[in-house]
Amino acid sequence: MQIKQAEFVVSNSDVAKCPKELLPEYAFIGRSNVGKSSLINMLTGQNKLAKTSSKPGKTQLINHFKINQNWFLVDLPGYGYAKVSKQSKQKFQQFITDYFEQREQLISAFVLVDVRHEPQKIDLDFFAYLGENSIPFAIVFTKADKLSKSNINKNVALYQKKLLADVWEEMPPYFVTSSESGLGKDNLLEYIEQINQTLR
């Protein structure tokens, strides 16, 4: 799939105010500063579509981007950022969970994790939350340009071992990506396109 058109549609913190169109939605989420905005810009080929920041917690709303007029890419707030106030954090978490539990157009989540780090409890907890709520998801390993291929494979294997040791029967679909080099772009977009074709 090639993204020929990507347009910002709406930002809000209320699931009821999300677009009414019955187009499939793919939600991107991860810990703050995992490289989500950079990945979205890389996928869409637009450097400024999603706002990037060195300051974690930049995305604090549900952002809808319409792609090729036939599906939505949804940019969700980062979870688990310690420096936002507890009240704000609860607010973020609530509309994140509202989105996942109420949004009928949601087809799959893409959970971003930094491939440089071993499995983090907060990410594993979020995988568990999605599994418990029967929400399909794939893992997107980011920042692959920062590691050698052997270390990437080692860290991916650690995730696989951890997930299979817990409650998972198999490793969820996963993609190794780099916003710097474009690694993983074609595979990830092809995955979305294949799902979209089954929905037609």
Side-chain angles (χ1 to χ4, degrees), residues 119 124 139 141 153-172 174:
L124 297 171
I139 301 171
F141 292 100
N153 291 339
K154 183 182 80 172
N155 285 356
V156 170
L158 283 173
Y159 267 89
Q160 189 163 14
K161 182 179 179 182
K162 183 66 179 171
L163 288 168
L164 297 181
D166 291 341
V167 296
W168 301 94
E169 293 182 5
E170 59 183 4
M171 180 76 168
Y174 70 89

Side-chain angles (χ1 to χ4, degrees), residues 177-194:
T177 69
S178 165
S179 299
E180 294 292 322
S181 69
L183 176 71
K185 175 179 179 177
D186 292 343
N187 289 342
L188 204 158
L189 291 177
E190 185 61 31
Y191 177 74
I192 292 174
E193 177 63 14
Q194 288 174 356

Side-chain angles (χ1 to χ4, degrees), residues 6-26:
E7 59 176 312
F8 170 74
V9 177
V10 68
S11 289
N12 67 80
S13 59
D14 183 350
V15 177
K17 295 177 181 175
C18 288
K20 304 300 182 192
E21 295 167 88
L22 298 177
L23 295 176
E25 293 185 1
Y26 298 88

Side-chain angles (χ1 to χ4, degrees), residues 72-84:
F72 280 109
L73 186 158
V74 183
D75 181 10
L76 291 173
Y79 53 79
Y81 176 48
K83 290 188 179 177
V84 295

Side-chain angles (χ1 to χ4, degrees), residues 111-181:
V111 185
L112 279 61
V113 296
D114 189 331
V115 76
R116 296 175 297 176
H117 305 305
E118 294 184 2
Q120 304 289 305
K121 183 179 186 301
I122 192 164
D123 294 322
L124 297 171
D125 287 348
F126 197 74
F127 297 157
Y129 162 76
L130 294 173
E132 288 161 6
N133 287 276
S134 302
I135 298 163
F137 73 95
I139 301 171
V140 180
F141 292 100
T142 63
K143 307 188 181 184
D145 55 287
K146 310 291 187 189
L147 281 184
S148 66
K149 189 170 182 179
S150 62
N151 281 330
I152 290 169
N153 291 339
K154 183 182 80 172
N155 285 356
V156 170
L158 283 173
Y159 267 89
Q160 189 163 14
K161 182 179 179 182
K162 183 66 179 171
L163 288 168
L164 297 181
D166 291 341
V167 296
W168 301 94
E169 293 182 5
E170 59 183 4
M171 180 76 168
Y174 70 89
F175 303 89
V176 176
T177 69
S178 165
S179 299
E180 294 292 322
S181 69

